[in-house]
Amino acid sequence: AKGLALTAYTLTAFLENTRFTSQYRNVINKAIDFIVRNLDGLEDPYAVAICTYALTLAQHPSGRVAFNLLEAKAESGDDMKWFKRPVPESEKLNPYTLEPNSVDVEMTAYALLTYIQKGLIEDGLPIMRWLISQQNAEGGFASTQDTVVAVTALAKLAEKIVDVNSNLQIMFSYPGERPVTLDINRGNYMVLVKHEVRRNVNSVEINATGSGFAIAQVSYSYNVNVTGAWPRFTLDPQVDKNSDKNHLQLSICSGFVPGKEGNESNMAVMEVTLPSGFTVDQDSLPSLQASQNVKRVETKDGDSVVMLYFDKLTREEYCPTVKAYRTHKVAKQKPVPVIVYDYYDQSRRARMFYEPQMATLCDICEGEDCEKVCTGKAGSHAGDNEGQGGSASSLSVTIIAVMVALITLRYL
């Protein structure tokens, strides 16, 4: 946030903390005056959304003018309503612009907060539907900030529309299985309920009877072995020469690809997935953390993924090195990805795969197992070439697997 948007964001903190409103009245008045004086000609929909919310909270007469500006920038369809920044012509073919965008989610959440503040509850329902359509399987959104604002807006709306005396029966049915019925009532209406659907289900039918309010969400995931399309970052992961089957040293060079909207990214994140059987060398993380460019280092999934946070990335490439070692015996590892993305605009991203030094079955077997998979011929290993014809290439596009679908009931 910059300029008016940053001022409005700060102003909402003063206005929402009513304990100190009188103490900082002079500061509040100056911020309101600054926003009102610069409201005319404001085009950025994000700035319009947050300024409208701030002026509505302040109950300022110019809040009506700002609300009209906000309404003029609304988009609608399929019984939903949302707000978003225009996609530059050069980015129209970028497939990632179709995915949930943190800035769009945040500004739409501010719009919903404005509707709630103005008492326009029914008019806010289409906005609620769009926000829910952007949620992930865990109930969050694209990033931290948009999740905080959107969940706050949805929670405040829930206070207005949820009936604690709900009595609902929701039935899920799909081919090959008996229907599953979930009862929602006063005793469990605040509980998140999940039902796991078996693999390879292509359609789920949902029917509800009774009275009350609940949200049914169908979530699914799958993996695609393909280099990311429309890269907005340069990305070049290279396995160093001193790596072997037990140790990995991976250098990843990355920089931002400038565009009309700027020459640098927002906060950027690099996710480095390690080969199967490898975990990060914890002793190497402090040196990464101490780097001038890296602001934070995290690991996840049992230390098998390393996440590096940058304040920004520019055209000049930065090349961190990640070290890992083998902790579990796994043979025939497949290529694994490195992903870089803009934390506040996930349409800016890049993905590349790298191939570790592959271990064979004979490298990991022990005792009698080796006799079954390895021949006695020098320099040859039975099983070394097994399945190579089906291994994924970095040049091929292969859908690996369709993962388990989750049907999630989320109650506001």
Side-chain angles (χ1 to χ4, degrees):
K2 300 177 182 178
L4 277 182
L6 183 57
T7 301
Y9 180 77
T10 307
L11 175 59
T12 60
F14 284 100
L15 293 173
E16 290 176 341
N17 192 345
T18 55
R19 281 180 56 195
F20 299 100
T21 301
S22 57
Q23 182 179 345
Y24 295 100
R25 175 54 60 186
N26 188 43
V27 174
I28 291 172
N29 289 339
K30 287 181 177 180
I32 292 173
D33 182 61
F34 176 75
I35 292 173
V36 171
R37 283 189 290 106
N38 291 277
L39 198 59
D40 188 34
L42 186 60
E43 292 295 331
D44 179 16
Y46 177 83
V48 171
I50 192 169
C51 286
T52 302
Y53 177 54
L55 292 175
T56 303
L57 269 181
Q59 299 181 345
H60 194 277
S62 293
R64 292 191 295 271
V65 177
F67 185 73
N68 291 334
L69 287 175
L70 180 67
E71 286 289 274
K73 296 187 178 298
E75 299 188 27
S76 59
D78 296 328
D79 205 21
M80 296 186 291
K81 188 174 185 177
W82 67 94
F83 302 81
K84 63 182 297 182
R85 279 179 171 166
V87 178
E89 193 65 35
S90 59
E91 294 290 311
K92 286 290 178 65
L93 298 179
N94 183 345
Y96 296 120
T97 59
L98 302 176
E99 297 184 4
N101 181 282
S102 59
V103 175
D104 295 345
V105 168
E106 187 179 348
M107 74 173 78
T108 302
Y110 279 122
L112 180 56
L113 287 169
T114 300
Y115 274 64
I116 296 168
Q117 189 69 25
K118 292 175 72 68
L120 303 174
I121 305 304
E122 188 173 346
D123 292 337
L125 295 180
I127 302 177
M128 177 205 72
R129 295 188 188 99
W130 185 85
L131 285 174
I132 290 171
S133 74
Q134 304 298 298
Q135 282 183 296
N136 59 38
E138 303 303 323
F141 293 85
S143 66
T144 304
Q145 179 64 17
D146 63 331
T147 296
V148 170
V149 180
V151 169
T152 299
L154 291 173
K156 288 189 175 184
L157 182 64
E159 293 176 356
K160 307 291 185 181
I161 63 176
V162 170
D163 182 3
V164 297
N165 295 313
S166 293
N167 185 13
L168 288 164
Q169 294 75 46
I170 301 176
M171 185 173 69
F172 302 100
S173 56
Y174 43 92
E177 296 287 344
R178 285 179 142 189
V180 176
T181 301
L182 300 176
D183 292 318
I184 311 303
N185 49 51
R186 185 183 180 92
N188 67 353
Y189 80 99
M190 290 292 290
V191 179
L192 175 66
V193 180
K194 287 187 177 183
H195 175 70
E196 189 172 296
V197 179
R198 62 175 174 79
R199 292 172 182 242
N200 302 321
V201 171
N202 296 320
S203 63
V204 177
E205 184 176 335
I206 304 173
N207 293 287
T209 58
S211 62
F213 183 87
I215 296 170
Q217 176 176 313
V218 179
S219 301
Y220 59 92
S221 63
Y222 56 90
N223 296 321
V224 178
N225 183 11
V226 56
T227 296
W230 210 269
R232 288 304 310 273
F233 295 87
T234 57
L235 186 57
D236 184 23
Q238 294 290 336
V239 177
D240 293 352
K241 294 181 179 179
N242 56 353
S243 299
D244 56 35
K245 295 173 182 177
N246 294 312
H247 300 87
L248 172 69
Q249 186 164 309
L250 180 69
S251 297
I252 313 109
C253 290
S254 183
F256 182 65
V257 177
K260 291 183 179 179
E261 70 278 14
N263 296 319
E264 60 186 36
S265 71
N266 300 305
M267 183 174 77
V269 182
M270 178 185 289
E271 292 190 13
V272 183
T273 302
L274 300 175
S276 297
F278 280 76
T279 55
V280 67
D281 181 359
Q282 289 285 346
D283 293 338
S284 67
L285 296 184
S287 60
L288 272 176
Q289 182 74 61
S291 168
Q292 180 180 355
N293 294 35
V294 178
K295 296 302 178 184
R296 182 178 178 84
V297 179
E298 293 179 350
T299 64
K300 65 178 184 178
D301 297 343
D303 290 343
S304 64
V305 178
V306 182
M307 302 181 67
L308 308 179
Y309 293 80
F310 307 87
D311 277 343
K312 62 183 178 181
L313 286 176
T314 63
R315 183 197 300 264
E316 183 179 355
E317 288 190 339
Y318 174 65
C319 302
T321 298
V322 173
K323 297 180 180 179
Y325 56 89
R326 189 170 74 175
T327 53
H328 301 85
K329 293 185 176 181
V330 179
K332 300 183 178 180
Q333 299 100 322
K334 301 302 182 183
V336 280
V338 176
I339 303 172
V340 180
Y341 57 91
D342 188 311
Y343 190 77
Y344 295 105
D345 185 356
Q346 284 76 17
S347 67
R348 299 173 172 182
R349 57 170 57 220
R351 179 177 64 228
M352 290 291 291
F353 286 79
Y354 70 94
E355 296 191 49
Q357 289 196 20
M358 188 183 300
T360 67
L361 293 176
C362 295
D363 291 325
I364 68 170
C365 66
E366 295 179 353
E368 294 181 357
D369 291 336
C370 287
E371 297 178 5
K372 298 177 182 178
V373 297
C374 301
T375 67
K377 296 179 181 179
S380 67
H381 299 290
D384 281 8
N385 297 317
E386 180 185 342
Q388 282 188 358
S391 62
S393 164
S394 59
L395 297 179
S396 67
V397 180
T398 307
I399 296 182
I400 299 175
V402 177
M403 305 302 290
V404 175
L406 295 177
I407 297 178
T408 305
L409 279 178
R410 192 171 318 284
Y411 310 107
L412 294 177

